[in-house]
Amino acid sequence: MDKPKTVIELKDATLKLGGRSLWEHLNLEVKRGEFIAVLGPNGSGKTSLIQILLGLESLASGSVVVDGETPHRGSKVIGYVPQQRAFDDDLPITGRDLVHMGLDGFKFGVSFGDQNARQEVQRVINQVGAAVYADAPIGLLSGGEQQRLRIAQALLGTPKVLLCDEPLLSLDIASQQVVSSLINDHRQKSRAAIVFVTHDINPILPMVDRVLYLVGHRWAVGKPDQVLTSERLSELYGAQIDVIRAKGKILVVGGNELELGEGGHHGRTR
C-alpha cells in the first residue's frame, strides 16, 4: 500500500508577532486523511497557524507548503471553517446565499461556472444535512444550523485540506457532536487532511490522530496517548500539571493558562 501523501509541510518554521516569537523551529508534516488537533493557550499562535496555511500571514523564517505550493489566497485544495458567530436577525441573506458566497470569492476555495454552481451548492448543502432550512434567513437559524452551512461552504470543490479555527466555540454539546462528525465524515470519504484548532479536545478526541500543542515559543507534537500526560505537560510548561482521565474525557489541572486536553513532547527533544 502506498504511503499517504504529505499535503502540509512546515520546516524550521518560526512565527513572530510584534518582535515576540510565538513558536520557533516548528517541523510538521500532515498526511492525506490525517486529523491534527491544534491546542494551546490564548496568544500562542493557533489561529495564526491557520492564517499562514491560508496565505494570509507570513513566517519570520522557515518554509511552509500546502499540496506542494506556497500557501496563497484562493487555493483550490483548501476549505476553511471559522468560529460560529451570530448573524443579525434581519440580515437579508439565506443559508443558501451564504454557501454560494464561497463560489464568488468570499471564501478560500474553488470557483465554478454559473452552469455548475447551483448543483455544487446543492450537493454540499445535502452533504451536511441542511437542505430543510437552507432557504431560511441565515440570522434566524440556530448556531448549529449556521455552522453546518459554514461547513458546506468549506466543502465546495471537495478540498484536500480542511482548516478549522475553533468551529465548536459557542455551540451546545449536541451541535458540537454534529459539527465534529460532519468534518470527520468528510475526512473519511475524501481522505482530506484536517487541521482543527480547539480549546477542548474532548469532543474530537476519538477522531484525532495527532496533537500539535503551541505554548510560549515552543511546540509539542505526538499521538494523543503519548502527549496527553502529566509528565509531558509538566515538562512543556515547566510546572506541575495533572492530567485526569475519566469516562473517556480528559481534564487538565494546574495553572491559569491551561485548557482541556493540552499536551505533547517538546519539539526539540524528539
Side-chain angles (χ1 to χ4, degrees), residues 16-191:
K16 292 186 177 182
L17 182 63
R20 179 176 68 91
S21 292
L22 298 186
W23 31 267
E24 298 177 344
H25 308 295
L26 173 60
N27 293 300
L28 177 69
E29 290 188 15
V30 182
K31 307 288 187 180
R32 285 293 302 268
E34 191 172 18
F35 197 125
I36 303 291
V38 182
L39 305 169
N42 292 336
S44 60
K46 302 187 299 294
T47 292
S48 289
L49 174 63
I50 298 294
Q51 297 296 304
I52 285 168
L53 296 175
L54 288 170
L56 300 180
E57 291 188 26
S58 299
L59 294 169
S61 61
S63 64
V64 55
V65 293
V66 178
D67 200 37
E69 298 183 349
T70 301
H72 58 90
R73 188 185 182 98
S75 171
K76 295 180 179 181
V77 303
I78 292 177
Y80 170 61
V81 183
Q83 297 177 10
Q84 200 294 113
R85 293 185 176 89
F87 293 98
D88 292 338
D89 291 348
D90 58 353
L91 187 67
I93 66 170
T94 67
R96 187 179 303 275
D97 294 332
L98 178 70
V99 177
H100 199 282
M101 287 178 183
L103 302 177
D104 299 328
F106 291 90
K107 155 187 175 293
F108 305 95
V110 68
S111 296
F112 291 83
D114 292 340
Q115 184 176 358
N116 299 322
R118 188 172 300 176
Q119 290 182 341
E120 176 65 7
V121 168
Q122 188 62 52
R123 180 187 71 81
V124 295
I125 287 174
N126 291 342
Q127 185 174 341
V128 302
V132 173
Y133 49 80
D135 294 305
I138 189 68
L140 299 183
L141 299 179
S142 70
E145 290 168 341
Q146 292 174 6
Q147 202 67 336
R148 280 193 191 225
L149 291 161
R150 288 187 177 93
I151 294 172
Q153 189 190 78
L155 297 184
L156 290 169
T158 314
K160 295 180 183 179
V161 176
L162 205 57
L163 305 177
C164 308
D165 187 9
E166 294 275 16
L168 307 183
L169 200 65
S170 301
L171 297 180
D172 59 35
I173 293 176
S175 295
Q176 287 181 357
Q177 293 173 343
V178 168
V179 168
S180 300
S181 295
L182 287 171
I183 291 169
N184 196 48
D185 286 348
H186 175 69
R187 170 180 73 133
Q188 293 176 333
K189 292 175 181 176
S190 69
R191 300 301 295 162

Side-chain angles (χ1 to χ4, degrees), residues 164-226:
C164 308
D165 187 9
E166 294 275 16
L168 307 183
L169 200 65
S170 301
L171 297 180
D172 59 35
I173 293 176
S175 295
Q176 287 181 357
Q177 293 173 343
V178 168
V179 168
S180 300
S181 295
L182 287 171
I183 291 169
N184 196 48
D185 286 348
H186 175 69
R187 170 180 73 133
Q188 293 176 333
K189 292 175 181 176
S190 69
R191 300 301 295 162
I194 309 296
V195 179
F196 195 109
V197 172
T198 182
H199 71 281
D200 181 2
I201 197 173
N202 285 311
I204 60 170
L205 186 58
M207 310 169 188
V208 171
D209 295 306
R210 287 190 295 155
V211 169
L212 170 64
Y213 183 63
L214 304 172
V215 56
H217 62 277
R218 298 177 292 174
W219 55 274
V221 67
K223 295 180 179 180
D225 285 345
Q226 295 173 322

